Structures are given as structure tokens and as C-alpha cells.
Amino acid sequence: MGTQGSPVKSYDYLLKFLLVGDSDVGKGEILDSLQDGSAESPYAYSSGIDYKTTTILLDGRRVKLELWDTSGQGRFCTIFRSYSRGAQGILLVYDIANRWSFEGIDRWIREIDEHAPGVPRILVGNRLHLAFKRQVPTEQARAYAEKNGMTFFEVSPLCNFNVIESFTELSRIVLMRHGMEKFWKPNRVFTLQDLCCRAIVSCTPVHLIDKLPLPVAIKSHLKSFSMANGMNAVMMHGRSYSLANAAGGSKGNSLKRSKSIKPPQSPPQNCTRNNCKIS
């Protein structure tokens, strides 16, 4: 993992991520959705491996990602074993419209535990735009991720939904594990877009975002921001969970306020001022 060094570098941190999963789950689609960066492998031999770089902004710091797409075919398992040695993060990818690809995640976890133990990983359900053909329920995948200590995302490269957010969250996990967060946390910088999303999501439940008078693209980004920043639990248990509670809650709040108001104190008996005497 690279850190901030010479001023000629265009990034502050350098991370190597692997995308693993069975064949035809859309790992190449995820890489193709990234517009920036280079697609040329730094190694001459790249048979069975797709490579791409991209740079993301994480709390004001530039993080360059080297993304390696290892083929899911059995004959490339030896390539995965060699490339996994220097990986700092792994994305386990399956197709939500292919039940078999989700069941194959167990095999990839065993490979990771054997050849890259302790490397942070997240579970990614790809091709969310094919939700009408869904074969893997979201609740089941989320429970599976929690059981294995992973963060869970459902992404759609076609709609550009949650792709960058998944890479950002994995980068945050990796840097926090290596103790790098202390270098930038006191100087955290939010973009204007992050500030606007945070302001809207903090007072709007995720199930009411669709009712906001906003374009569809912005609504999708708000949902993605909410999932990436883990604000759903706060919203579901906070005051903004239900708009119907606003009217009923005002009464309870008024009662609490009335209890906190202290009654006026009577004037002291030895007061000599005329306006203090009670007739």
C-alpha cells in the first residue's frame, strides 16, 4: 500500500483490489463502467486477467485503485492464487439473476481463506438492473454477508449505481485496518455533493426518497449514498422514520417541555420593595 510521498504522485494512497467470482457474473462490466484510469496491465502476461486503474476521492484524499478481474474459470485458479498475495481488498461478485453464482461464493471464500487470509472483503450483488429476473433475495444475501463479516452492496454498472460506493467503502475498511485514518480524519473534507446528500438523507427515510420531487438519477444517488454511509439504521430508529409520528410526537415533546419549565418563585419574605408585595 502506497502512502503520500513525492509531490509528483497524483494520489495519496495506492491499493490493490481483486474482483473474484464465477464466470459471467459481470466483473468486466464493473470495470468497464469506470471511465477514468488505464486499462493496460503493468505485466506483459495477463492471460485470464483484466486490469484497470481508477482514482477515487475518500474524505478529501486521493486513493488510486489497481483493480484485477480474475477469471472465474477453473483453469485460472492458479493465477488467482498468485495475484491474491499482494491484494489489500477483495470484492466477491455474484449475479443476482443467477442463483448458481451466489452459491459459488462459498468456494471463493475458501480460496481466499487459504491463499489470502485476513484480507478485507465485501460481497457485491451485480446486475441490479435485472431485478425482475432476481433469483437471490436481497435479505438472504445481506444475512449471508453479515454471517461472514462482510459489507454488502447491490450494484448496477448499467445504471452506474453503487459501483464507486462499493470501492469507496472497501477502501475505507482497508485504510482503517492499516491505521491510516488518523492521518486524514482531523482534516476531513466534504464535497458539496456529499454535504447535500448528507443533509437530505439525514432527515428523510430511505423508503420515502422515491416520493421526493427530484429527478430519478438524483434519487438513485441519494439511495446509494445512504447505503454507502450506513445511515439507514439511524433513519429507521430516528425521529424521521415516520412522518405520521410528527403530529403525535409534538404532543409528547410539549409534555416534556412543560415538565422542564420551572414554576415562578415567590418573592422573599424580607423583600422591602413595594412591587414585590403580594396583595
Side-chain angles (χ1 to χ4, degrees):
M1 176 173 54
T3 57
Q4 187 174 3
S6 59
V8 297
K9 288 186 177 180
S10 59
Y11 55 87
D12 300 299
Y13 300 100
L14 176 63
L15 301 177
K16 176 184 176 181
F17 289 169
L18 295 182
L19 283 77
V20 302
D22 292 338
S23 300
D24 196 28
V25 296
K27 301 188 297 293
E29 298 172 5
I30 295 177
L31 295 185
D32 292 339
S33 66
L34 303 174
Q35 302 298 329
D36 62 329
S38 172
E40 297 181 359
S41 173
Y43 304 99
Y45 55 96
S46 59
S47 177
I49 295 289
D50 290 333
Y51 170 84
K52 194 165 188 179
T53 63
T54 187
T55 303
I56 62 174
L57 191 65
L58 177 59
D59 298 340
R61 295 284 181 168
R62 297 162 299 175
V63 181
K64 182 178 179 180
L65 304 179
E66 290 185 349
L67 307 174
W68 300 84
D69 169 19
T70 58
S71 176
Q73 300 179 15
R75 63 192 181 96
F76 291 120
C77 287
T78 55
I79 298 180
F80 163 74
R81 294 167 187 172
S82 61
Y83 277 81
S84 61
R85 294 171 185 170
Q88 281 110 12
I90 298 177
L91 292 88
L92 289 158
V93 185
Y94 71 94
D95 184 358
I96 68 169
N98 186 341
R99 179 76 187 181
W100 181 76
S101 67
F102 177 72
E103 294 175 352
I105 295 295
D106 285 332
R107 176 173 57 87
W108 288 107
I109 289 181
R110 289 193 297 269
E111 288 280 347
I112 295 172
D113 291 339
E114 180 180 356
H115 301 284
V119 176
R121 65 199 76 169
I122 64 174
L123 182 64
V124 176
N126 194 20
R127 294 172 176 165
L128 185 58
H129 53 276
L130 298 179
F132 62 95
K133 296 182 178 180
R134 179 188 293 274
Q135 296 182 6
V136 183
T138 303
E139 294 76 13
Q140 181 182 2
R142 181 177 291 110
Y144 179 84
E146 293 178 355
K147 177 182 176 181
N148 291 274
M150 297 183 293
T151 305
F152 171 66
F153 284 91
E154 286 188 335
V155 305
S156 173
L158 182 64
C159 303
N160 194 23
F161 179 76
N162 259 357
V163 175
I164 295 297
E165 286 76 8
S166 60
F167 288 129
T168 302
E169 181 61 21
L170 183 56
S171 301
R172 189 188 306 276
I173 295 173
V174 172
L175 292 176
M176 289 180 64
R177 174 167 294 193
H178 287 81
M180 295 298 176
E181 186 187 21
K182 61 184 179 180
F183 291 110
W184 82 83
K185 191 172 182 180
N187 300 321
R188 188 174 183 179
V189 178
F190 291 102
T191 64
L192 179 59
Q193 178 175 324
D194 287 341
L195 291 175
C196 294
C197 289
R198 184 175 294 273
I200 296 175
V201 170
S202 63
C203 61
T204 306
V206 66
H207 64 279
L208 293 181
I209 290 180
D210 287 330
K211 298 182 180 181
L212 295 176
L214 297 173
V216 177
I218 297 181
K219 294 179 183 179
S220 299
H221 187 78
L222 289 173
K223 292 181 181 179
S224 177
F225 182 88
S226 175
M227 296 293 294
N229 290 272
M231 302 183 70
N232 286 332
V234 178
M235 292 186 297
M236 293 181 66
H237 299 285
R239 292 177 297 176
S240 60
Y241 175 72
S242 175
L243 296 179
N245 293 337
S250 61
K251 184 177 179 180
N253 294 336
S254 62
L255 293 176
K256 292 181 181 180
R257 286 195 298 268
S258 63
K259 292 180 181 180
S260 63
I261 299 176
K262 296 182 180 180
Q265 298 179 356
S266 57
Q269 296 180 356
N270 56 355
C271 181
T272 57
R273 291 184 298 175
N274 295 330
N275 57 355
C276 292
K277 294 181 181 179
I278 302 177
S279 58

PDB file of all heavy atoms in Angstrom, residues 251-274:
ATOM      1  N   LYS A 251     -47.010  16.283  20.711  1.00  0.00           N
ATOM      2  CA  LYS A 251     -47.671  16.338  21.994  1.00  0.00           C
ATOM      3  C   LYS A 251     -46.765  15.848  23.105  1.00  0.00           C
ATOM      4  O   LYS A 251     -46.680  16.435  24.178  1.00  0.00           O
ATOM      5  CB  LYS A 251     -48.945  15.490  21.943  1.00  0.00           C
ATOM      6  CG  LYS A 251     -49.757  15.559  23.233  1.00  0.00           C
ATOM      7  CD  LYS A 251     -51.049  14.763  23.078  1.00  0.00           C
ATOM      8  CE  LYS A 251     -51.863  14.809  24.371  1.00  0.00           C
ATOM      9  NZ  LYS A 251     -53.122  14.039  24.243  1.00  0.00           N
ATOM     10  N   GLY A 252     -46.064  14.718  22.812  1.00  0.00           N
ATOM     11  CA  GLY A 252     -45.130  14.202  23.807  1.00  0.00           C
ATOM     12  C   GLY A 252     -44.009  15.166  24.087  1.00  0.00           C
ATOM     13  O   GLY A 252     -43.583  15.330  25.223  1.00  0.00           O
ATOM     14  N   ASN A 253     -43.541  15.842  23.035  1.00  0.00           N
ATOM     15  CA  ASN A 253     -42.463  16.803  23.231  1.00  0.00           C
ATOM     16  C   ASN A 253     -42.920  17.980  24.068  1.00  0.00           C
ATOM     17  O   ASN A 253     -42.186  18.522  24.874  1.00  0.00           O
ATOM     18  CB  ASN A 253     -41.927  17.279  21.884  1.00  0.00           C
ATOM     19  CG  ASN A 253     -41.256  16.154  21.125  1.00  0.00           C
ATOM     20  OD1 ASN A 253     -40.794  15.187  21.727  1.00  0.00           O
ATOM     21  ND2 ASN A 253     -41.199  16.278  19.806  1.00  0.00           N
ATOM     22  N   SER A 254     -44.188  18.391  23.839  1.00  0.00           N
ATOM     23  CA  SER A 254     -44.690  19.530  24.605  1.00  0.00           C
ATOM     24  C   SER A 254     -44.817  19.172  26.074  1.00  0.00           C
ATOM     25  O   SER A 254     -44.602  19.996  26.957  1.00  0.00           O
ATOM     26  CB  SER A 254     -46.046  19.969  24.038  1.00  0.00           C
ATOM     27  OG  SER A 254     -47.000  18.913  24.170  1.00  0.00           O
ATOM     28  N   LEU A 255     -45.212  17.873  26.345  1.00  0.00           N
ATOM     29  CA  LEU A 255     -45.302  17.463  27.738  1.00  0.00           C
ATOM     30  C   LEU A 255     -43.934  17.469  28.404  1.00  0.00           C
ATOM     31  O   LEU A 255     -43.797  17.875  29.558  1.00  0.00           O
ATOM     32  CB  LEU A 255     -45.931  16.071  27.818  1.00  0.00           C
ATOM     33  CG  LEU A 255     -47.415  15.978  27.394  1.00  0.00           C
ATOM     34  CD1 LEU A 255     -47.877  14.523  27.439  1.00  0.00           C
ATOM     35  CD2 LEU A 255     -48.286  16.841  28.300  1.00  0.00           C
ATOM     36  N   LYS A 256     -42.933  17.001  27.622  1.00  0.00           N
ATOM     37  CA  LYS A 256     -41.584  17.009  28.181  1.00  0.00           C
ATOM     38  C   LYS A 256     -41.112  18.424  28.444  1.00  0.00           C
ATOM     39  O   LYS A 256     -40.484  18.703  29.437  1.00  0.00           O
ATOM     40  CB  LYS A 256     -40.629  16.296  27.235  1.00  0.00           C
ATOM     41  CG  LYS A 256     -40.900  14.801  27.124  1.00  0.00           C
ATOM     42  CD  LYS A 256     -39.904  14.137  26.175  1.00  0.00           C
ATOM     43  CE  LYS A 256     -40.182  12.659  26.035  1.00  0.00           C
ATOM     44  NZ  LYS A 256     -39.213  12.016  25.110  1.00  0.00           N
ATOM     45  N   ARG A 257     -41.451  19.323  27.519  1.00  0.00           N
ATOM     46  CA  ARG A 257     -41.020  20.704  27.720  1.00  0.00           C
ATOM     47  C   ARG A 257     -41.731  21.322  28.916  1.00  0.00           C
ATOM     48  O   ARG A 257     -41.158  22.107  29.649  1.00  0.00           O
ATOM     49  CB  ARG A 257     -41.288  21.510  26.445  1.00  0.00           C
ATOM     50  CG  ARG A 257     -40.323  21.207  25.317  1.00  0.00           C
ATOM     51  CD  ARG A 257     -40.408  22.276  24.247  1.00  0.00           C
ATOM     52  NE  ARG A 257     -41.733  22.328  23.660  1.00  0.00           N
ATOM     53  CZ  ARG A 257     -42.084  21.646  22.567  1.00  0.00           C
ATOM     54  NH1 ARG A 257     -41.223  20.853  21.970  1.00  0.00           N
ATOM     55  NH2 ARG A 257     -43.314  21.735  22.081  1.00  0.00           N
ATOM     56  N   SER A 258     -43.020  20.958  29.095  1.00  0.00           N
ATOM     57  CA  SER A 258     -43.761  21.550  30.201  1.00  0.00           C
ATOM     58  C   SER A 258     -43.202  21.101  31.548  1.00  0.00           C
ATOM     59  O   SER A 258     -43.229  21.829  32.516  1.00  0.00           O
ATOM     60  CB  SER A 258     -45.240  21.177  30.097  1.00  0.00           C
ATOM     61  OG  SER A 258     -45.393  19.771  30.223  1.00  0.00           O
ATOM     62  N   LYS A 259     -42.675  19.841  31.575  1.00  0.00           N
ATOM     63  CA  LYS A 259     -42.102  19.383  32.817  1.00  0.00           C
ATOM     64  C   LYS A 259     -40.787  20.082  33.113  1.00  0.00           C
ATOM     65  O   LYS A 259     -40.420  20.250  34.270  1.00  0.00           O
ATOM     66  CB  LYS A 259     -41.869  17.873  32.735  1.00  0.00           C
ATOM     67  CG  LYS A 259     -43.156  17.069  32.692  1.00  0.00           C
ATOM     68  CD  LYS A 259     -42.868  15.573  32.622  1.00  0.00           C
ATOM     69  CE  LYS A 259     -44.153  14.755  32.558  1.00  0.00           C
ATOM     70  NZ  LYS A 259     -43.868  13.300  32.479  1.00  0.00           N
ATOM     71  N   SER A 260     -40.100  20.486  32.094  1.00  0.00           N
ATOM     72  CA  SER A 260     -38.799  21.110  32.315  1.00  0.00           C
ATOM     73  C   SER A 260     -38.911  22.567  32.728  1.00  0.00           C
ATOM     74  O   SER A 260     -37.961  23.139  33.209  1.00  0.00           O
ATOM     75  CB  SER A 260     -37.949  20.996  31.043  1.00  0.00           C
ATOM     76  OG  SER A 260     -38.576  21.697  29.992  1.00  0.00           O
ATOM     77  N   ILE A 261     -40.110  23.171  32.514  1.00  0.00           N
ATOM     78  CA  ILE A 261     -40.289  24.584  32.884  1.00  0.00           C
ATOM     79  C   ILE A 261     -40.499  24.688  34.386  1.00  0.00           C
ATOM     80  O   ILE A 261     -41.382  24.045  34.950  1.00  0.00           O
ATOM     81  CB  ILE A 261     -41.489  25.195  32.134  1.00  0.00           C
ATOM     82  CG1 ILE A 261     -41.227  25.132  30.629  1.00  0.00           C
ATOM     83  CG2 ILE A 261     -41.745  26.624  32.593  1.00  0.00           C
ATOM     84  CD1 ILE A 261     -42.395  25.632  29.809  1.00  0.00           C
ATOM     85  N   LYS A 262     -39.688  25.468  35.052  1.00  0.00           N
ATOM     86  CA  LYS A 262     -39.798  25.644  36.498  1.00  0.00           C
ATOM     87  C   LYS A 262     -40.855  26.695  36.822  1.00  0.00           C
ATOM     88  O   LYS A 262     -40.964  27.710  36.138  1.00  0.00           O
ATOM     89  CB  LYS A 262     -38.446  26.062  37.072  1.00  0.00           C
ATOM     90  CG  LYS A 262     -37.359  24.992  36.898  1.00  0.00           C
ATOM     91  CD  LYS A 262     -36.064  25.449  37.521  1.00  0.00           C
ATOM     92  CE  LYS A 262     -34.994  24.382  37.340  1.00  0.00           C
ATOM     93  NZ  LYS A 262     -33.711  24.799  37.943  1.00  0.00           N
ATOM     94  N   PRO A 263     -41.667  26.474  37.873  1.00  0.00           N
ATOM     95  CA  PRO A 263     -42.676  27.480  38.257  1.00  0.00           C
ATOM     96  C   PRO A 263     -41.999  28.727  38.793  1.00  0.00           C
ATOM     97  O   PRO A 263     -40.888  28.670  39.328  1.00  0.00           O
ATOM     98  CB  PRO A 263     -43.477  26.751  39.344  1.00  0.00           C
ATOM     99  CG  PRO A 263     -42.531  25.733  39.900  1.00  0.00           C
ATOM    100  CD  PRO A 263     -41.689  25.296  38.733  1.00  0.00           C
ATOM    101  N   PRO A 264     -42.654  29.872  38.629  1.00  0.00           N
ATOM    102  CA  PRO A 264     -42.050  31.123  39.135  1.00  0.00           C
ATOM    103  C   PRO A 264     -41.923  31.096  40.645  1.00  0.00           C
ATOM    104  O   PRO A 264     -42.826  30.632  41.350  1.00  0.00           O
ATOM    105  CB  PRO A 264     -43.033  32.201  38.656  1.00  0.00           C
ATOM    106  CG  PRO A 264     -44.322  31.478  38.469  1.00  0.00           C
ATOM    107  CD  PRO A 264     -43.976  30.103  38.012  1.00  0.00           C
ATOM    108  N   GLN A 265     -40.819  31.559  41.127  1.00  0.00           N
ATOM    109  CA  GLN A 265     -40.573  31.573  42.557  1.00  0.00           C
ATOM    110  C   GLN A 265     -41.232  32.792  43.195  1.00  0.00           C
ATOM    111  O   GLN A 265     -41.293  33.863  42.602  1.00  0.00           O
ATOM    112  CB  GLN A 265     -39.059  31.592  42.828  1.00  0.00           C
ATOM    113  CG  GLN A 265     -38.328  30.363  42.292  1.00  0.00           C
ATOM    114  CD  GLN A 265     -36.848  30.444  42.570  1.00  0.00           C
ATOM    115  OE1 GLN A 265     -36.369  31.449  43.093  1.00  0.00           O
ATOM    116  NE2 GLN A 265     -36.140  29.365  42.232  1.00  0.00           N
ATOM    117  N   SER A 266     -41.773  32.586  44.383  1.00  0.00           N
ATOM    118  CA  SER A 266     -42.389  33.703  45.108  1.00  0.00           C
ATOM    119  C   SER A 266     -41.306  34.603  45.666  1.00  0.00           C
ATOM    120  O   SER A 266     -40.195  34.154  45.943  1.00  0.00           O
ATOM    121  CB  SER A 266     -43.257  33.162  46.256  1.00  0.00           C
ATOM    122  OG  SER A 266     -42.470  32.359  47.122  1.00  0.00           O
ATOM    123  N   PRO A 267     -41.605  35.889  45.828  1.00  0.00           N
ATOM    124  CA  PRO A 267     -40.578  36.824  46.331  1.00  0.00           C
ATOM    125  C   PRO A 267     -40.215  36.493  47.771  1.00  0.00           C
ATOM    126  O   PRO A 267     -41.014  35.942  48.521  1.00  0.00           O
ATOM    127  CB  PRO A 267     -41.265  38.182  46.215  1.00  0.00           C
ATOM    128  CG  PRO A 267     -42.717  37.873  46.265  1.00  0.00           C
ATOM    129  CD  PRO A 267     -42.885  36.550  45.581  1.00  0.00           C
ATOM    130  N   PRO A 268     -38.999  36.766  48.157  1.00  0.00           N
ATOM    131  CA  PRO A 268     -38.582  36.513  49.545  1.00  0.00           C
ATOM    132  C   PRO A 268     -39.388  37.358  50.528  1.00  0.00           C
ATOM    133  O   PRO A 268     -39.868  38.445  50.203  1.00  0.00           O
ATOM    134  CB  PRO A 268     -37.092  36.887  49.532  1.00  0.00           C
ATOM    135  CG  PRO A 268     -36.931  37.801  48.368  1.00  0.00           C
ATOM    136  CD  PRO A 268     -37.921  37.337  47.333  1.00  0.00           C
ATOM    137  N   GLN A 269     -39.542  36.798  51.727  1.00  0.00           N
ATOM    138  CA  GLN A 269     -40.370  37.486  52.721  1.00  0.00           C
ATOM    139  C   GLN A 269     -39.744  38.786  53.209  1.00  0.00           C
ATOM    140  O   GLN A 269     -40.444  39.701  53.613  1.00  0.00           O
ATOM    141  CB  GLN A 269     -40.593  36.551  53.914  1.00  0.00           C
ATOM    142  CG  GLN A 269     -41.385  35.295  53.528  1.00  0.00           C
ATOM    143  CD  GLN A 269     -41.590  34.376  54.715  1.00  0.00           C
ATOM    144  OE1 GLN A 269     -41.071  34.651  55.816  1.00  0.00           O
ATOM    145  NE2 GLN A 269     -42.339  33.284  54.518  1.00  0.00           N
ATOM    146  N   ASN A 270     -38.445  38.893  53.210  1.00  0.00           N
ATOM    147  CA  ASN A 270     -37.779  40.079  53.729  1.00  0.00           C
ATOM    148  C   ASN A 270     -37.577  41.143  52.647  1.00  0.00           C
ATOM    149  O   ASN A 270     -36.793  42.041  52.816  1.00  0.00           O
ATOM    150  CB  ASN A 270     -36.448  39.711  54.351  1.00  0.00           C
ATOM    151  CG  ASN A 270     -35.541  38.972  53.381  1.00  0.00           C
ATOM    152  OD1 ASN A 270     -35.968  38.666  52.270  1.00  0.00           O
ATOM    153  ND2 ASN A 270     -34.310  38.702  53.801  1.00  0.00           N
ATOM    154  N   CYS A 271     -38.271  40.968  51.487  1.00  0.00           N
ATOM    155  CA  CYS A 271     -38.111  41.949  50.419  1.00  0.00           C
ATOM    156  C   CYS A 271     -38.840  43.224  50.800  1.00  0.00           C
ATOM    157  O   CYS A 271     -40.003  43.200  51.213  1.00  0.00           O
ATOM    158  CB  CYS A 271     -38.657  41.380  49.103  1.00  0.00           C
ATOM    159  SG  CYS A 271     -38.478  42.509  47.708  1.00  0.00           S
ATOM    160  N   THR A 272     -38.174  44.377  50.625  1.00  0.00           N
ATOM    161  CA  THR A 272     -38.754  45.667  51.029  1.00  0.00           C
ATOM    162  C   THR A 272     -39.361  46.439  49.871  1.00  0.00           C
ATOM    163  O   THR A 272     -39.924  47.497  50.062  1.00  0.00           O
ATOM    164  CB  THR A 272     -37.655  46.528  51.675  1.00  0.00           C
ATOM    165  OG1 THR A 272     -36.592  46.673  50.733  1.00  0.00           O
ATOM    166  CG2 THR A 272     -37.126  45.851  52.936  1.00  0.00           C
ATOM    167  N   ARG A 273     -39.238  45.882  48.648  1.00  0.00           N
ATOM    168  CA  ARG A 273     -39.777  46.624  47.509  1.00  0.00           C
ATOM    169  C   ARG A 273     -41.293  46.460  47.461  1.00  0.00           C
ATOM    170  O   ARG A 273     -41.830  45.387  47.707  1.00  0.00           O
ATOM    171  CB  ARG A 273     -39.151  46.109  46.217  1.00  0.00           C
ATOM    172  CG  ARG A 273     -37.676  46.449  46.084  1.00  0.00           C
ATOM    173  CD  ARG A 273     -37.136  46.000  44.744  1.00  0.00           C
ATOM    174  NE  ARG A 273     -37.249  44.544  44.627  1.00  0.00           N
ATOM    175  CZ  ARG A 273     -36.931  43.871  43.501  1.00  0.00           C
ATOM    176  NH1 ARG A 273     -36.504  44.548  42.435  1.00  0.00           N
ATOM    177  NH2 ARG A 273     -37.047  42.566  43.474  1.00  0.00           N
ATOM    178  N   ASN A 274     -41.987  47.558  47.125  1.00  0.00           N
ATOM    179  CA  ASN A 274     -43.451  47.524  47.080  1.00  0.00           C
ATOM    180  C   ASN A 274     -43.980  46.657  45.983  1.00  0.00           C
ATOM    181  O   ASN A 274     -45.031  46.011  46.107  1.00  0.00           O
ATOM    182  CB  ASN A 274     -43.999  48.955  46.921  1.00  0.00           C
ATOM    183  CG  ASN A 274     -43.692  49.827  48.122  1.00  0.00           C
ATOM    184  OD1 ASN A 274     -43.602  49.309  49.254  1.00  0.00           O
ATOM    185  ND2 ASN A 274     -43.515  51.137  47.905  1.00  0.00           N
TER     186      ASN A 274
END
